[in-house]
Amino acid sequence: MRNWTKTIGLSLCMGMFFTPGLALAYTADEVAQAVDARDDGDNGSAVIQMTLIDRQGNKRVRTMNKFEKDFGEDTHSVIFFSDPSDVRNTAFLTFDYADSSKDDDQWLYLPALRNTKRIVSSDKSSSFMGSDFSYADMTSRAIEDYSYKIAKEDEVNGNEVWIMEAVPKTEKVRRETGYDKSYMFVRKDNFVVIRAIHFQTDGKRKYMDVKELEKIEGIWVPTLIEMRTTKDKITLHTTLMSFRDVKFNQDFDESFFSVRRIERGL
């Protein structure tokens, strides 16, 4: 499942490159490739609880059901909102293409308007359903679109990490993501991005932190993620995404991932 395990940064060719004690032999591009190639499962589903926290500490909670299926190197995913009533039956469809020359496709169905909106490139840096995640954050990053360097090696919660600097190669990628530069904290033992700092083009910063990481059916899955938006060191808004009932290797029909299906509902 590319999205929640890789999107929040980048996601193994461990057997090819990794030799304990020789981690320093990695180049920045090899770390990025290993993150992208990490085993992230297939035909998965999960229930997601998204908590939106404003500057005053007020909370709004939304519940969603997410489904993903790999089509060759591409991944299709669909999210159906189930609660509360004002967002119920809202649905979000993504075709995440492995070919970096092809723009990912995204559609948002709004039941109150009985309208499906295609998310165009100029809107992909916008907020996803009022959260601190953008539409661009909801797809995987194409590793070819960035220049990497290992800025530092450090520890996070007792885990050794590479701190990777990722800079967009083109103005198009910069505009679509809204990010001038990112720092990714990649665990050396499993290539999971457990923390990130995104420097936005509008001067704000977003801090992503994996609060809980579990191994489910042999796959490392971040099951609690925090994204926090700040400006001048003041927190403006925070989003928590928690995942439960995570399952892999389920049987989904191709037609489940279509505009017609998001308009019909779960």
Side-chain angles (χ1 to χ4, degrees):
M1 306 181 73
R2 296 168 66 100
N3 282 350
W4 73 70
T5 59
K6 293 180 181 176
T7 300
I8 49 180
L10 308 161
S11 190
L12 195 101
C13 308
M14 218 157 54
M16 182 181 297
F17 299 113
F18 186 71
T19 302
L22 295 179
L24 288 174
Y26 271 81
T27 66
D29 286 343
E30 287 170 346
V31 174
Q33 289 165 10
V35 170
D36 185 63
R38 182 174 65 82
D39 185 5
D40 57 359
D42 190 14
N43 293 332
S45 67
V47 177
I48 305 174
Q49 181 173 287
M50 183 167 73
T51 303
L52 311 175
I53 308 171
D54 67 18
R55 199 167 168 175
Q56 288 71 42
N58 300 308
K59 295 182 180 179
R60 290 179 295 156
V61 179
R62 294 172 172 177
T63 305
M64 307 170 275
N65 292 274
K66 179 169 183 172
F67 306 87
E68 284 192 352
K69 181 178 178 65
D70 288 347
F71 292 82
E73 295 297 314
D74 302 330
T75 299
H76 296 183
S77 67
V78 62
I79 295 174
F80 295 96
F81 285 73
S82 59
D83 197 65
S85 59
D86 62 332
V87 295
R88 187 172 300 145
N89 295 324
T90 298
F92 180 60
L93 175 67
T94 295
F95 290 176
D96 189 351
Y97 303 115
D99 183 351
S100 63
S101 67
K102 191 174 179 181
D103 288 340
D104 294 336
D105 288 315
Q106 295 178 313
W107 298 265
L108 180 68
Y109 174 65
L110 299 170
L113 303 176
R114 295 187 178 181
N115 180 51
T116 299
K117 173 186 177 183
R118 188 184 186 93
I119 309 299
V120 298
S121 295
S122 57
D123 286 340
K124 289 190 175 179
S125 62
S126 303
S127 166
F128 170 67
M129 294 297 288
S131 75
D132 295 84
F133 295 86
S134 67
Y135 291 104
D137 290 330
M138 303 302 287
T139 64
S140 300
R141 295 186 176 193
I143 60 174
E144 300 87 355
D145 287 342
Y146 297 84
S147 297
Y148 303 96
K149 71 176 183 182
I150 297 175
K152 187 180 177 183
E153 296 180 51
D154 206 339
E155 282 192 6
V156 174
N157 300 324
N159 299 297
E160 292 188 350
V161 297
W162 289 286
I163 302 178
M164 299 269 294
E165 180 184 284
V167 177
K169 290 181 178 176
T170 65
E171 183 59 29
K172 177 178 180 290
V173 174
R174 181 177 281 103
R175 280 199 309 272
E176 285 184 0
T177 61
Y179 298 151
D180 273 330
K181 179 173 63 176
S182 298
Y183 286 99
M184 309 291 184
F185 295 62
V186 182
R187 264 179 61 163
K188 292 184 178 181
D189 60 336
N190 58 15
F191 296 95
V192 176
V193 178
I194 57 171
R195 181 174 289 175
I197 306 171
H198 303 293
F199 294 76
Q200 296 185 203
T201 54
D202 60 2
K204 297 176 184 174
R205 292 185 187 182
K206 291 203 299 191
Y207 294 84
M208 187 283 294
D209 202 19
V210 173
K211 300 290 188 183
E212 295 177 8
L213 180 67
E214 299 179 44
K215 205 167 192 178
I216 301 173
E217 299 181 32
I219 310 296
W220 285 108
V221 179
T223 51
L224 179 60
I225 304 167
E226 178 187 85
M227 185 76 96
R228 184 166 53 89
T229 304
T230 72
K231 188 168 187 179
D232 299 330
K233 298 184 179 180
I234 297 173
T235 298
L236 305 176
H237 198 271
T238 304
T239 299
L240 290 171
M241 275 202 189
S242 67
F243 300 79
R244 58 182 169 84
D245 298 334
V246 177
K247 300 173 184 173
F248 296 103
N249 301 314
Q250 299 183 78
D251 186 21
F252 300 131
D253 190 84
E254 184 174 349
S255 62
F256 191 73
F257 303 89
S258 65
V259 170
R260 175 175 293 184
R261 184 54 195 255
I262 64 172
E263 293 174 343
R264 196 174 76 187
L266 184 60

